Amino acid sequence: MQWLSILHDYTFQNVVIGAALLGLISGPLGSFAVLRRQSLLGDAISHAALPGVCLGFIIAGSREMGSIIVGAMVTGALAALLMLVLTRMSRLKTDASIGICLSIFFAIGLVLLTYIQGSNNASQGGLESFLFGQAAATLRSDLWLMGGITLFSLTLLGALWKQAKLVTFDPEFAHTVGLPVSLIEVLLTTMVTLAVVVGLQMVGVVLMAAMIVAPAVAARQWSRHLGAMVFIAAGVGVVSGVSGASISALSRGLATGPLIILSASIIVLISLAIAPQRGLLWGLLQHLRQVSQLRRRQILYTLYKTQSTRDQEVHNLPFRLNFSAAIALWQLRRKGFLVSQKTPCLPMSAGSRWLLTSLGVREAQSVMAELNGKTT
């Protein structure tokens, strides 16, 4: 009953739709930013949007969403273009250019915000909410604007898909075949700016960078292909937005923006841990499997060399028996490579009498032949 009442709530519907739109645009565009090694680009653009928010308020004289979004779009795009100019026209690296633009534009935004708060304009109340977002203030008119920006950005990305992919992975080759690399980079950066503008109302200036990076990072763990990565990133963004908004609605008191970012962060951590081929647990299992295989080969090699000089009998193992060696002996015995003439259970002492079976001799000989081939 509580869920049904929440689903029919006007504010909840607006927040969920807005969060879904935010994830839908930030995931695909963030994928290109991450692959271009510009993960902090969203951070710089989001901070640079603050002076645009303030200028839009000053020009409109009120918290008119259209003017605020246009102002944020203009200053965010200016910051992005300044970063590209500094990177191309000077010896500064990308991270240094991003740091310069972030600090300058954010400082200007804080100065303008302080100026507005000191004025006598009664409409300035709550303007600082753009720092951390105020999802509950989202209106249906705002959703139409956010939806239009999202549709335009994704349509433009689809139209420039081949060119954007080539510029992202091999800009030098793209330049040699005559593609306008600089123009395509400007368009990709501008689209990231549009994603930041969509997220200002939901998560705010400070947290928007995480929404650009997190879905792309999670999707990168699950796919090796750009197309699949973009779709997965969009899905992760939508799931993060909807789950964060739902938890905020049920908790009654927790901010929506930080919960959206936390939801995305949890998905990133899960992806880093269990993603096939790339996850940390997958890597650990691969390492343990390789160590176990190496240990079994060492045992076969050692027993074969020892039994060839001791009339095929081994009363004491010629290596240190620890837990890993005991497990390796048990695995070899289960495969039929070894037999024990003393203890039928898992060997934990070196007192057992071990013999290589005919199958084990052939396996040991193949190991010997492989080692001799590598040494030669």
Side-chain angles (χ1 to χ4, degrees):
M1 294 301 295
Q2 185 181 7
W3 266 106
L4 291 176
S5 61
I6 291 177
L7 290 176
H8 290 88
D9 184 74
Y10 174 82
T11 302
F12 175 76
Q13 294 175 356
N14 291 343
V15 172
V16 168
I17 296 174
L21 290 174
L22 172 60
L24 187 61
I25 188 175
S26 61
L29 297 179
S31 299
F32 284 91
V34 170
L35 292 175
R36 292 163 62 202
R37 298 182 180 180
Q38 295 180 348
S39 300
L40 293 178
L41 180 64
D43 194 16
I45 294 177
S46 61
H47 283 75
L50 181 60
V53 171
C54 297
L55 289 175
F57 176 83
I58 292 174
I59 294 173
S62 62
R63 288 188 56 182
E64 205 279 317
M65 197 62 185
S67 61
I68 288 177
I69 285 183
V70 171
M73 191 182 306
V74 170
T75 56
L78 286 176
L81 293 177
L82 180 59
M83 284 184 286
L84 292 177
V85 170
L86 290 176
T87 303
R88 293 291 183 88
M89 306 299 292
S90 67
R91 295 184 178 181
L92 293 176
K93 300 296 183 181
T94 303
D95 55 349
S97 301
I98 290 176
I100 291 174
C101 295
L102 186 152
S103 57
I104 292 176
F105 278 84
F106 191 59
I108 295 174
L110 290 178
V111 171
L112 292 176
L113 183 61
T114 304
Y115 168 76
I116 293 173
Q117 290 176 340
S119 65
N120 295 323
N121 191 337
S123 301
Q124 59 87 24
L127 190 63
E128 68 279 359
S129 62
F130 282 97
L131 288 173
F132 300 101
Q134 191 177 17
T138 305
L139 304 176
R140 287 293 167 91
S141 57
D142 301 335
L143 294 180
W144 284 107
L145 185 58
M146 295 166 63
I149 295 174
T150 301
L151 180 61
F152 172 76
S153 300
L154 296 181
T155 302
L156 183 59
L157 180 62
L160 298 174
W161 177 258
K162 293 183 179 180
Q163 295 83 351
K165 181 167 62 173
L166 186 57
V167 169
T168 299
F169 290 105
D170 198 346
E172 295 182 357
F173 178 74
H175 183 74
T176 58
V177 298
L179 288 179
V181 176
S182 299
L183 178 60
I184 294 174
E185 288 183 345
V186 169
L187 289 176
L188 289 174
T189 305
T190 303
M191 285 188 283
V192 175
T193 305
L194 295 176
V196 170
V197 168
V198 169
L200 286 178
Q201 181 79 2
M202 301 300 301
V203 299
V205 167
V206 176
L207 297 176
M208 187 57 208
M211 203 59 196
I212 294 291
V213 176
V217 171
R220 188 72 178 93
Q221 305 302 312
W222 295 96
S223 176
R224 297 179 181 270
H225 304 283
L226 179 61
M229 176 183 173
V230 168
F231 279 103
I232 294 174
V236 171
V238 172
V239 170
S240 302
V242 173
S243 59
S246 301
I247 295 172
S248 176
L250 291 174
S251 62
R252 298 295 184 183
L254 297 179
T256 303
L259 286 175
I260 293 175
I261 302 303
L262 287 177
S263 300
S265 301
I266 290 174
I267 296 177
V268 170
L269 293 177
I270 294 174
S271 301
L272 290 174
I274 66 173
Q277 303 296 332
R278 294 187 176 184
L280 298 177
L281 294 180
W282 181 274
L284 179 60
L285 291 176
Q286 288 290 97
H287 174 73
L288 293 177
R289 188 179 294 113
Q290 292 174 358
V291 170
S292 177
Q293 182 181 8
L294 178 61
R295 191 60 170 162
R296 292 195 300 269
R297 292 164 66 89
Q298 289 175 339
I299 291 175
L300 287 173
Y301 175 84
T302 304
L303 290 177
Y304 181 78
K305 297 289 288 186
T306 304
Q307 290 184 194
S308 64
T309 60
R310 294 189 183 183
D311 195 24
Q312 303 298 319
E313 293 185 3
V314 178
H315 294 277
N316 293 307
L317 292 175
F319 48 81
R320 182 181 177 184
L321 183 64
N322 52 23
F323 182 76
S324 62
I327 295 296
L329 286 170
W330 176 75
Q331 292 174 339
L332 290 172
R333 183 187 174 186
R334 191 179 64 172
K335 291 183 178 181
F337 295 155
L338 294 178
V339 291
S340 172
Q341 295 185 351
K342 185 177 180 180
T343 54
C345 59
L346 179 66
M348 294 304 294
S349 67
S352 300
R353 186 178 181 183
W354 293 99
L355 294 175
L356 282 174
T357 63
S358 58
L359 185 62
V361 171
R362 290 195 296 269
E363 182 69 17
Q365 289 174 345
S366 66
V367 172
M368 294 284 293
E370 184 178 350
L371 292 175
N372 293 331
K374 289 182 178 180
T375 55
T376 57

